[in-house]
Amino acid sequence: MNRNYKMATVAAGIVAIAGLGIGPAFAEGDFTTEIKGWLPGKESRHWNDLNTDNASTTVKFSGCKAEDSGGTNRFEYAALQLKKERQSFPDPVVDRDNNHCNTSTFGDLSSGWYYFNYSGLNGTDTTSYHLSVNTVVVKY
């Protein structure tokens, strides 16, 4: 096979794949924020997932701490509940994860408005330690 034929075949394959919509899944939206001094029960910013892609919803924490009165970091993990908004009804918990200052993955969600709720620290839902996270990245 000559070189030009190979290049033409590769180019045709790329065009065919792009035309079929096959390729890597990119999140349709994302935002970056921080958490300062949260106690259990606090909820994140809400976002609208239009479900126009096949990307999983993720919440990534980095730079986590929950200090006691002496300044000792007591953070092991933060319990998160992913919730979906519903009009005139309580918002159901769609999924849960214990975030160990890493990425929580919640899968490809149906369209709707979502948020995460900080529901506990290190296995308890009552704590006097305030959660702080330097960087929170939500992709949906």
Side-chain angles (χ1 to χ4, degrees):
M1 248 185 238
N2 70 29
R3 185 170 186 242
N4 289 337
Y5 180 77
K6 286 181 184 178
M7 287 175 42
T9 302
V10 169
I14 291 170
V15 169
I17 288 171
L20 293 173
I22 300 170
F26 296 104
E28 73 184 52
D30 62 79
F31 63 91
T32 301
T33 187
E34 64 184 357
I35 290 174
K36 294 275 190 208
W38 282 17
L39 289 171
K42 184 79 172 164
E43 60 188 50
S44 72
R45 168 183 148 182
H46 295 218
W47 66 88
N48 186 14
D49 188 337
L50 300 173
N51 196 27
T52 59
D53 57 19
N54 292 320
S56 289
T57 295
T58 60
V59 176
K60 181 179 180 182
F61 282 7
S62 58
C64 306
K65 65 181 179 179
E67 294 180 344
D68 64 16
S69 58
T72 302
N73 186 6
R74 301 296 181 180
F75 183 90
E76 292 176 29
Y77 63 89
L80 304 182
Q81 297 176 334
L82 183 72
K83 293 188 171 186
K84 184 174 185 179
E85 288 185 16
R86 285 195 314 179
Q87 296 295 323
S88 305
F89 294 100
D91 295 341
V93 175
V94 175
D95 204 352
R96 302 173 199 278
D97 191 54
N98 292 327
N99 188 303
H100 295 264
C101 208
N102 55 13
T103 301
S104 297
T105 302
F106 298 107
D108 184 15
L109 304 172
S110 62
S111 62
W113 285 88
Y114 293 88
Y115 62 96
F116 69 86
N117 174 277
Y118 166 53
S119 61
L121 180 71
N122 305 336
T124 181
D125 58 0
T126 57
T127 182
S128 60
Y129 307 144
H130 291 77
L131 174 66
S132 294
V133 181
N134 291 339
T135 307
V136 179
V137 179
V138 177
K139 294 183 179 183
Y140 54 93

